Amino acid sequence: MGFLDRLSGRVAYDPVDDEDFEAQDGVYDDYYEDDDDASSVSPIHSVDRGEVARIVTVWVASYKEIRDFAVEFRNGLPVILNLSQAPDNERARIVDFALGLSFGLDGLFSDISEDVFLLTPHAVKLDSRGSDANHDFVR
């Protein structure tokens, strides 16, 4: 019985007749002919590759809300800071704080647009692809 026959549903799939397994006393053994090979397999476990699992986006409208992104950035997460709802006088204070925060934690502060900024922790490498347009993504 072929794979396409099973996939199309024309032939009912019966795992007992599968060529990948061999029946011995009612127990199905997989590809290993020698049990010693199976015992040398290590258990599966999570590997920390140091990759970013999460990026935080925060809309800040006043200086009183800076804690919302500061804590996340201090914990090592990249933060997209959207200041589109902040008045100009508050925006200047928030940007000054964000610049100081990123400098103090050896991170990177980048302009994405007039209202949006990216704070990148020192452990995260930032790559830019596409046109050679003006980007502020340099370390």
Side-chain angles (χ1 to χ4, degrees):
M1 158 178 27
F3 170 74
L4 292 176
D5 291 331
R6 284 189 239 159
L7 187 63
S8 67
R10 289 183 286 186
V11 177
Y13 177 68
D14 185 8
V16 175
D17 292 335
D18 197 324
E19 301 100 25
D20 296 339
F21 294 94
E22 189 177 310
Q24 294 177 355
D25 299 324
V27 178
Y28 294 98
D29 293 331
D30 54 6
Y31 293 101
Y32 296 113
E33 292 181 19
D34 188 6
D35 287 338
D36 293 334
D37 291 338
S39 64
S40 65
V41 176
S42 62
I44 297 175
H45 61 280
S46 173
V47 177
D48 181 22
R49 297 177 185 247
E51 295 177 6
V52 176
R54 188 167 63 111
I55 298 174
V56 179
T57 303
V58 180
W59 284 262
V60 177
S62 74
Y63 189 76
K64 294 177 184 177
E65 300 171 351
I66 60 172
R67 185 169 181 22
D68 294 344
F69 73 88
V71 171
E72 300 290 354
F73 185 72
R74 188 178 60 192
N75 289 334
L77 294 174
V79 173
I80 298 173
L81 181 60
N82 189 326
L83 300 179
S84 60
Q85 298 173 352
D88 288 340
N89 62 339
E90 293 284 315
R91 179 186 307 234
R93 292 180 67 196
I94 296 167
V95 168
D96 284 344
F97 175 81
L99 279 165
L101 178 67
S102 61
F103 179 78
L105 295 175
D106 197 27
L108 178 67
F109 183 89
S110 304
D111 295 2
I112 302 298
S113 73
E114 197 172 296
D115 296 327
V116 180
F117 304 93
L118 175 64
L119 285 76
T120 311
H122 72 280
V124 176
K125 182 178 182 251
L126 186 61
D127 291 333
S128 177
R129 293 191 174 91
S131 70
D132 290 335
N134 238 353
H135 296 295
D136 191 14
F137 294 145
V138 237
R139 273 202 187 247

